[in-house]
């Protein structure tokens, strides 16, 4: 068996494990809905319990109440995105950001075995995925990102990596994004393996450059962050819709969203993830220009790929501005982040496959 | 509701903490999420309403009668608002899209010609909207120029303001620190019973002094305030955030200016050189030449560039990639004022000589063709560059013989480095290297159309005044030659020979039989360095402005009614600052640990 064949087997194994993770994350979301439904019903029945300090990261510091239905509590520290210890001299839970708590109660959710399984599976899938990518690199004796199949292979690996790293360092529990992340990775990886696969071939002269290593890798990393930012923005929009109608509609109280951070916290998280992506994208654009100068004799020529890189950059600059513009903060800026990521996907798929230009490196 | 009353008071206090003049200057419709941010306010529908207080009376949009001066100021304020900047940014993104859908004259001139041929009705309409020159069009330029006017109008006052802020004192300590978003307190030793007033205030004083010293060490600018006998320190850090933001936006202008002006001093030219031939860097020697607006051709250094050899390496082993190019290297010799030097030019490795950048952009075959008259006199001999048409280098070239024969003749040639025959009978090339090279020629006679001095492309033959003698519908087979072969031209015009560049090689070794050519782009672009410098400033500015937290911190020693002295610590974020609360807590821990605790 060649290294490339082993790599392919690893890819398929990774996809299988991602699928298991995806299912486990979905079960978790379903359980969240059930938990908020119970909480709502319990509250309606008047069986109020002692208010709990709501904490979206509850599994890390489990609120061991045992009771399936914990009473609605103020959004508390979940809103601020930080796990602040209770402040001396102030009532716990009445933090500033939690002011909206009256309108959109957050439901404490407690432990979730399926979430544990899901994260464990994600880590295993990630390891297989990493092995597949590294093996592909060895099979080709170069970096494994020189054609569309390899871009997808490495790109999805970066998305999972960013997700896992953010899980490690973020103070807010973001595991609920797993459904989206593993779903996206699964789809992209599947499409790439089935439709874009090309066997190992040597690099054409235009790609023989250190800039292949730098430019493409940074671009791929940027996409990893944008993907996560996109997911957060989508959840943010769903959350803010729920917050707007929660007072009237009972059904939304029972949504899994009730167990997630409030929309402002989600917006702040999305912003932080997206600005990292934006900086990486800025660097991508510049490194690309330097490379273009070396390879094609001009640093900027409005080639289709350059145009779309520019468009994406401007859209995210717009997103950053929108967040600082009255009337655009919140939902509207979230839409810009979503448009931005759509443009990223468009740039990777449609522009690569159907548009004519100098960047004809799909290998297909 | 308690929480809402609290948040309003808190808001007022936050506002008073902000309105002290050293905050970065922002357009009136700026929103950093702190004004009235309570819970999900940002997401709530209808937060479009003007935020009371932050917009001055001047910015009222519905002001009734305006004088001309006021109109100008009003328009200017609109142009330099956040909303306009955002709108123009989004417009710019949208306006850039069509240029990726329709071929552009700047990057793909042949594509444009093709587009006109394929869409004869649509193309002129699109052309009237400058759709084939999107990035130099009036509308695209208008958008980005407006954006940059807005940008300049935005950064000048902000820069002025920031320079003042850099010298200003941190703002006065707000009256009620506990209302700020990040707040904590620690008790100071020396309570009501066990210490007299004087001792308590001395302890308070020294705690504040040590807080000030520690904040200063942590990079804060500090200022002591004493309000009605309550000692406090006010500290601010993160001015670099605004500096970075201003550097970023200013460098954007820098890039635009560098491109607009610097580009005008440069040029770009193209030249095809066959192996063994050379070219001298003068205006006349270029096949095509595009000078910038301010270019002066006296500035060209007339060095000579000789193409000694062009190496092309193709994949021969990997069956998935047979014939894929692995490497192109042009071995050249440069002769100029500094002497003679041998150099290599590769894709991704341009040559920098005498202020010009030389790029290897393409290569192909240049079959050597000799035409003789019926008496055997040579009337034409040259290595003619044939333009590659596909990955296996099926190439097309044109040979024009204006003088020396009974009639002018022109030939359209097809060259197949490794010829094979398709099932349709047509020829094709199956490998880019010289394994079985075949040249076919369709011969035309008549008027080449070059006698009246009209410039004609050397790669095109205008057959309108000519009669086709071989190939096509003529019923006469095309001339077909391998290196070293020659044959009669029709009508007894003479003979044509496909000369071999390696006549002494073995009979089936054609590997060196046809010379290659390289096409070089030669550029000079003085703006490049400046663009790079500004690009680095953009990146640096961006990093500073997105990751340096700008925050204020206050420490106050308050004597409570019961006589206890309490140290109050509070922080206020200026812009996105996820670490604020933790920073305040940590500072309090560190500092209160240092101060005596009961
Ligand atoms: C060429 C067009 C522009 C681009 C690409 C652009 C891009 C950006 C980016 C990426 C940021 C975030 C990074 C930073 O804070 O430095 C930013 C921030 C900012 N921009 Fe621009 N900008 C442009 C034009 C303008 C204009 C015309 C204005 C004034 C109306 C403006 C005002 C601001 C302000 C006030 C901020 C700070 C936002 C904050 O404090 O959160 N920008 N801009």
């Amino acid at each position: 068996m060649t290294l490339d064949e082993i790599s392919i087997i690893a890819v398929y194994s990774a996809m299988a494990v991602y699928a298991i993770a995806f299912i486990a994350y979905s079960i978790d979301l379903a359980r969240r809905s059930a938990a908020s439904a119970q909480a709502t019903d319990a509250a309606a029945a008047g069986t109020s319990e002692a208010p709990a300090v709501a904490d979206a990261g509850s599994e890390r510091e489990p609120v061991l109440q045992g009771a399936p239905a914990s009473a609605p509590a103020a959004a508390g520290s979940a809103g601020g995105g930080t796990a602040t210890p209770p402040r001396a001299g102030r009532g716990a839970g009445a933090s500033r950001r939690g002011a909206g708590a009256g309108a959109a109660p957050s439901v404490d959710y407690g432990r979730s075995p399926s979430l544990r399984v899901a994260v464990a599976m994600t880590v295993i899938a990630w390891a297989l995925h990493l092995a597949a990518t590294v093996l592909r690199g060895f099979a080709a004796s170069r970096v494994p990102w020189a054609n569309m199949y390899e871009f997808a292979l490495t790109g999805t690996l970066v998305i999972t990596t960013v997700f896992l790293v953010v899980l490690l360092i973020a103070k807010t529990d973001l595991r609920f994004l797993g459904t989206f992340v593993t779903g996206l990775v699964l789809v992209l990886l599947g499409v790439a393996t089935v439709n874009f696969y090309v066997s190992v071939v040597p690099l054409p002269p235009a790609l023989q450059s250190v800039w292949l290593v730098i430019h493409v890798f940074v671009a791929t990393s940027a996409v990893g962050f944008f993907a996560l930012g996109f997911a957060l923005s989508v959840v943010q929009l769903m959350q803010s819709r729920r917050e707007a109608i929660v007072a009237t509609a009972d059904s939304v109280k029972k949504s899994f969203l009730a167990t997630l951070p409030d929309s402002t916290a989600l917006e702040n998280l999305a912003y932080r993830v997206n600005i990292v992506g934006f900086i990486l994208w800025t660097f991508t654009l510049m490194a690309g220009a330097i490379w273009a100068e070396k390879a094609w004799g001009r640093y900027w020529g409005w080639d289709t790929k350059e145009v779309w890189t520019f468009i994406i950059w401007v859209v995210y600059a717009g997103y950053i501005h929108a967040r600082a513009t009255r009337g655009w903060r919140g939902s509207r800026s979230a839409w810009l982040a979503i448009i931005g990521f759509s443009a990223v996907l468009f740039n990777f798929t449609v522009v690569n496959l159907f548009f004519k230009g100098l960047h004809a490196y799909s290998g297909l | 509701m308690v929480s809402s009353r609290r948040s309003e008071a808190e808001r007022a206090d936050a506002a008073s903490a902000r309105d002290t003049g050293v905050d970065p200057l922002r357009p009136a419709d700026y929103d950093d999420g702190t004004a009235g941010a309570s819970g999900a306010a940002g997401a709530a529908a209808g937060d479009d309403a003007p935020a009371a207080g932050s917009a001055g009376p001047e910015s009222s949009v519905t002001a009734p009668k305006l004088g001309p001066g006021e109109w100008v100021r009003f328009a200017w304020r609109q142009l330099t608002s956040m909303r306009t900047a955002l709108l123009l940014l989004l417009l710019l993104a949208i306006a850039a899209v069509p240029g990726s859908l329709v071929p552009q004259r700047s990057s793909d001139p042949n594509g444009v010609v093709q587009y006109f041929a394929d869409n004869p009705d649509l193309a002129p309409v699109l052309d009237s909207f400058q759709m084939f020159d999107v990035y130099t069009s009036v509308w695209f330029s208008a958008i980005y120029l407006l954006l940059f006017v807005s940008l300049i109008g935005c950064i000048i006052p902000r820069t002025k303001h920031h320079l003042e802020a850099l010298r200003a004192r941190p703002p006065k300590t707000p009256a009620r620190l506990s209302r700020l978003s990040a707040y904590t307190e620690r008790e100071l030793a020396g309570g009501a019973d066990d210490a007299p007033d004087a001792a308590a205030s001395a302890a308070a004083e020294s705690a504040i002094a040590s807080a000030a010293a520690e904040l200063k060490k942590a990079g804060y600018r500090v200022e002591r305030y004493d309000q009605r006998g309550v000692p406090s320190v006010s500290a601010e850090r993160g001015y670099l955030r605004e500096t970075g933001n201003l550097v970023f936006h200013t460098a954007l202008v820098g890039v635009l200016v560098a491109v607009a002006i610097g580009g005008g001093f440069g040029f770009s030219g193209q030249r095809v050189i066959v192996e063994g031939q050379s070219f001298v860097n003068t205006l006349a020697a270029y096949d095509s030449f595009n000078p910038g607006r301010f270019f002066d051709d006296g500035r060209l250094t007339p060095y000579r560039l000789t193409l000694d050899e062009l190496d092309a390496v193709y994949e021969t082993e990997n069956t998935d990639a047979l014939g894929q190019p692995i490497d192109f290297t042009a071995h050249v010799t440069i002769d100029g004022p500094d002497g003679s030097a041998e150099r290599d030019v590769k894709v991704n490795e341009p040559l920098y000589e005498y202020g010009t950048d030389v790029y290897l952009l393409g290569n192909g075959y240049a079959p050597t063709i000799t035409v003789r008259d019926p008496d055997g006199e040579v009337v034409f001999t040259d290595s003619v560059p044939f333009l590659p048409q596909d990955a296996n280098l099926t190439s097309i070239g044109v040979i024009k013989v204006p003088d020396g024969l009974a009639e002018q003749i022109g030939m359209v040639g097809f060259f197949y480095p490794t010829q094979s025959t398709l099932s349709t009978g047509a020829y094709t090339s199956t490998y880019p290297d010289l394994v079985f090279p075949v040249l076919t020629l369709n011969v035309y006679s008549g008027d080449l159309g070059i006698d009246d001095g009209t410039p004609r492309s050397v790669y095109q033959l205008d057959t309108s005044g000519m009669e086709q003698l071989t190939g096509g519908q003529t019923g006469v087979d095309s001339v077909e030659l391998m290196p070293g072969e020659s044959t009669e031209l029709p009508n007894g015009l003479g003979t044509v020979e496909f000369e071999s560049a390696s006549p002494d090689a073995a009979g089936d070794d054609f590997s060196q039989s046809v010379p290659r050519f390289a096409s070089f782009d030669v550029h000079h672009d003085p703006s490049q360095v400046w663009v790079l410098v500004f690009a680095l400033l953009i990146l640096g500015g961006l990093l500073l402005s997105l990751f340096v937290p700008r925050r204020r911190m206050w420490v106050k020693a308050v004597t409570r009614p019961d006589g206890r002295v309490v140290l109050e610590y509070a922080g206020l974020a200026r812009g996105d600052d996820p670490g604020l609360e933790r920073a305040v807590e940590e500072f309090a821990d560190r500092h209160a640990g240092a101060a005596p605790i009961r």
Side-chain angles (χ1 to χ4, degrees), chain A residues 278 320-321, chain B residues 26 30 80 150-151 154 158 245 248-249 545:
Chain A
F278 181 74
I320 292 173
H321 265 225
Chain B
R26 290 288 185 263
Y30 170 81
T80 56
S150 166
L151 179 57
C154 188
R158 280 177 52 195
N245 182 295
F248 167 82
H249 283 93
S545 104

Side-chain angles (χ1 to χ4, degrees), chain B residues 221-567:
Chain B
R221 180 178 309 171
V222 299
E223 186 75 30
R224 288 287 311 271
Y225 289 99
D226 277 303
Q227 286 143 311
R228 279 184 245 106
V230 180
S232 71
V233 55
S234 167
E236 174 145 25
R237 58 151 290 164
Y239 295 83
L240 267 180
R241 187 184 186 92
E242 180 72 352
T243 309
N245 182 295
L246 289 169
V247 166
F248 167 82
H249 283 93
T250 310
L252 286 176
V253 181
V255 167
L256 188 74
V257 171
V259 171
I261 298 180
F265 288 98
F267 73 88
S268 75
Q270 288 76 38
R271 172 65 200 237
V272 165
I273 308 178
V274 178
E275 281 176 321
Q277 299 183 1
S278 59
F279 128 98
V280 177
N281 183 32
T282 54
L283 209 51
Y286 282 98
D287 297 333
S288 68
F289 193 83
N290 316 298
R293 218 167 313 150
F294 317 117
F295 178 72
D296 164 18
D297 63 6
R299 305 237 236 121
L300 288 179
T301 309
Y303 64 83
R304 173 193 303 276
L305 182 136
T306 307
L307 177 63
D308 302 321
E309 199 181 344
L310 187 115
D311 278 345
V313 181
Y314 298 98
E315 178 65 47
T316 53
E317 281 167 17
N318 183 337
T319 48
D320 291 322
L322 281 185
Q324 192 183 302
I326 303 280
D327 182 57
F328 299 123
T329 306
H331 304 284
V332 301
T333 305
I334 301 271
D335 296 290
D338 303 345
S340 175
E342 293 195 355
R343 294 288 155 77
D344 286 348
V345 192
K346 290 163 83 107
V347 184
N348 274 318
E349 289 174 34
L351 190 66
Y352 297 99
E353 287 288 348
Y354 298 110
T356 60
D357 308 336
V358 181
Y359 301 89
L360 174 63
L361 283 200
N363 69 83
Y365 293 101
T368 310
I369 288 152
T370 301
V371 178
R372 295 183 173 82
D373 69 10
D375 300 333
E377 276 314 309
V378 172
V379 297
F380 175 94
T381 181
D382 201 359
S383 295
V384 182
F386 274 44
L387 298 184
Q389 305 296 309
D390 61 25
N392 285 324
L393 293 190
T394 301
S395 309
I396 301 182
V398 164
I399 299 123
K400 297 176 185 176
V401 187
D403 306 307
L405 298 182
E407 281 181 284
Q408 289 190 330
I409 66 164
M411 296 184 273
V412 178
F414 284 81
F415 178 68
Y416 310 91
T418 300
Q419 182 263 2
S420 89
T421 310
L422 294 173
S423 56
T424 58
Y427 285 1
T428 184
S429 174
T430 52
Y431 190 70
D433 221 339
L434 297 165
V435 177
F436 191 75
V438 169
L439 174 73
T440 68
L441 296 168
N442 288 343
V443 184
Y444 296 79
S445 70
D447 180 9
L448 284 171
I450 54 182
D451 296 343
D452 58 0
T454 322
R456 302 268 180 208
S457 163
V458 292
Y459 297 108
Q460 258 156 18
L461 185 65
D462 177 4
T463 57
S464 56
M466 310 193 83
E467 180 196 353
Q468 187 166 2
L469 303 181
T470 68
Q473 313 291 316
T474 57
V476 183
D477 282 347
S478 297
V479 173
E480 189 174 319
L481 299 169
M482 292 191 70
E485 296 178 352
S486 74
T487 187
E488 299 276 319
L489 286 167
N491 301 350
L493 284 167
T495 60
V496 57
E497 180 181 356
F498 179 8
E499 291 197 32
S500 172
S502 58
D504 304 327
D508 57 354
D509 174 18
F510 293 104
S511 61
Q512 300 298 320
S513 61
V514 183
R516 295 171 192 261
F517 73 84
S519 65
F520 291 106
D521 258 37
V522 183
H523 291 196
H524 171 60
D525 185 353
S527 70
Q528 223 159 266
V529 196
W530 290 104
V531 174
L532 183 64
V533 168
F534 286 122
L536 292 176
L537 285 175
I538 285 177
L539 199 60
L542 202 56
L543 284 168
L544 288 180
S545 104
L546 290 178
F547 291 129
V548 171
R550 173 159 191 162
R551 56 173 74 124
R552 300 212 176 124
M553 192 100 92
W554 292 278
V555 185
K556 201 194 280 193
V558 185
T559 311
R560 291 279 157 86
D562 61 3
R564 288 182 306 138
V565 178
V566 172
L567 288 175

